[in-house]
């Protein structure tokens, strides 16, 4: 038995099918990466939670350290001067760290130095 020859599709039909296949592939890729990203964000959320907890505990420890420093200095120079001294030194350190952070960010992003 002789099989009929396959019908050749026109170039327009082939191009249309190519476009549809490309769209399907792009949708599949987007779905894949969306699922992958959702999984990664879920895992990262736990890590971010741990990081926030560590940050809160670190801030609490620094606060306790500063209060202890004020109490220790209060016996030597009085509570008012001890508080003033600790606040001024802490603000100076904060300003220095902020300035260093600003300079580093400007260097990374190509801003004026």
């Amino acid at each position: 038995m002789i099989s009929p020859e396959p019908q050749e599709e026109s170039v327009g039909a082939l191009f249309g099918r190519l476009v549809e296949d490309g769209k399907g592939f792009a949708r599949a890729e987007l779905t894949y990466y969306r699922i992958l990203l959702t999984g990664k964000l879920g895992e990262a959320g736990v890590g971010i939670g741990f990081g926030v907890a560590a940050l809160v505990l670190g801030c609490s420890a620094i606060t306790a350290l500063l209060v202890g420093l004020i109490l220790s200095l209060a016996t030597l120079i009085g509570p008012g001067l001890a508080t003033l001294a600790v606040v001024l030194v802490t603000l100076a350190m904060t300003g220095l760290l902020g300035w260093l952070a600003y300079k580093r960010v400007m260097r990374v992003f190509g801003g004026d130095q």
Side-chain angles (χ1 to χ4, degrees):
M1 174 189 246
I2 299 175
S3 62
E5 291 188 27
Q7 295 285 340
E8 293 217 10
E9 294 184 64
S10 69
V11 174
L14 287 173
F15 187 72
R17 196 168 62 172
L18 175 67
V19 168
E20 288 303 314
D21 288 347
K23 285 180 184 179
F25 178 76
R27 283 188 202 102
E29 284 289 311
L30 284 174
T31 302
Y32 169 73
Y33 286 115
R34 185 179 307 128
I35 291 170
L36 188 65
L37 179 65
T38 302
K40 295 288 183 183
L41 287 177
E43 292 176 26
V46 173
I48 290 170
F50 287 150
V52 168
L55 185 64
V56 168
L57 289 174
C59 287
S60 299
I62 290 171
T63 301
L65 175 69
L66 293 175
V67 169
L69 188 58
I70 290 171
L71 293 175
S72 298
L73 286 175
T75 60
L76 300 173
I77 59 176
L81 285 177
T83 302
L84 181 64
V86 170
V87 167
L88 288 177
V89 169
T90 304
L91 287 176
M93 289 172 49
T94 303
L96 176 65
L97 290 172
W99 179 75
L100 290 172
Y102 172 77
K103 295 303 268 184
R104 179 63 56 104
V105 168
M106 287 297 112
R107 186 179 331 148
V108 168
F109 291 110
D112 294 331
Q113 293 184 10

